[in-house]
Amino acid sequence: MSQLEQAIRLRQEGKTQEAIELLHTMAEKEPGNADVWYQLAWAHDSLGLERQAVSYYETALSQGLKGEDRAGAILGLGSTYRTLGQYEQAKKWLETGMEEFPEQREFEVFYAMVLYNTGEHAEAMKRLLVQLADTSSDRGIHDYRKAIRFYSGQLDRIWE
């Protein structure tokens, strides 16, 4: 098992501080390893250390993190910026995620949270309703999917 795998395992087992110590050692030895920085960000985020996680996410992304880990880092960074009240930064990163990974619906959901925080309630609700209509396996939601999608963009309209 590699050191990176060991660090991930430690985090998954709830031994996050141990994982962080191992990852810091790895980062000193391999400062250009984007995967190490991503795991450092994830570990800090999972401990509620969002402010520290930001720089680790940014380092991982600037070093060319790829694939699923890139998607995770972009989502993590956007979400972390949101929890820190840095809504414009959160929007920027979540929009990047939606552009790069349009099939991954979680970006839309987290983006809706930021829209809520910025007072864009109608747009936030619209995005959530579309995700609900498109992904729910609930029979009632499925049966009314077309209506839910239709009304999602017209929440304030009153028909006469």
Side-chain angles (χ1 to χ4, degrees):
M1 173 184 312
S2 74
Q3 281 190 312
L4 186 60
E5 291 169 332
Q6 184 181 357
I8 292 168
R9 186 182 206 174
L10 286 168
R11 178 184 45 77
Q12 291 171 337
E13 292 173 353
K15 300 174 183 172
T16 310
Q17 194 56 50
E18 290 176 52
I20 287 172
E21 291 168 16
L22 178 56
L23 290 162
H24 274 296
T25 300
M26 293 174 64
E28 288 175 17
K29 292 177 184 172
E30 302 177 66
N33 187 333
D35 295 318
V36 171
W37 293 106
Y38 174 48
Q39 291 302 322
L40 260 172
W42 192 340
H44 280 79
D45 226 352
S46 69
L47 286 179
L49 303 171
E50 286 85 0
R51 291 196 191 283
Q52 288 120 312
V54 166
S55 66
Y56 298 135
Y57 280 127
E58 289 177 341
T59 300
L61 290 165
S62 71
Q63 291 181 352
L65 197 61
K66 302 275 187 234
E68 198 65 30
D69 285 345
R70 179 171 175 79
I74 291 171
L75 185 71
L77 183 56
S79 174
T80 297
Y81 272 132
R82 188 193 74 77
T83 65
L84 295 172
Q86 297 177 20
Y87 303 130
E88 291 309 311
Q89 284 292 88
K91 279 176 126 178
K92 174 186 159 259
W93 279 106
L94 293 168
E95 287 167 356
T96 297
M98 289 186 293
E99 290 169 19
E100 290 186 27
F101 304 96
E103 71 287 351
Q104 293 188 235
R105 295 175 177 270
E106 60 269 26
F107 286 104
E108 284 281 343
V109 174
F110 279 82
Y111 192 70
M113 290 183 220
V114 174
L115 293 174
Y116 170 84
N117 292 126
T118 59
E120 299 169 74
H121 302 128
E123 183 63 21
M125 186 71 168
K126 174 184 176 182
R127 287 173 182 267
L128 288 176
L129 286 171
V130 167
Q131 295 309 310
L132 177 66
D134 289 354
T135 64
S136 179
S137 60
D138 180 85
R139 182 175 176 208
I141 300 294
H142 187 268
D143 289 349
Y144 289 97
R145 177 178 53 202
K146 188 175 179 181
I148 292 168
R149 284 184 125 270
F150 175 76
Y151 291 124
S152 70
Q154 304 182 59
L155 294 171
D156 294 320
R157 180 176 173 192
I158 297 173
W159 275 261
E160 307 234 3

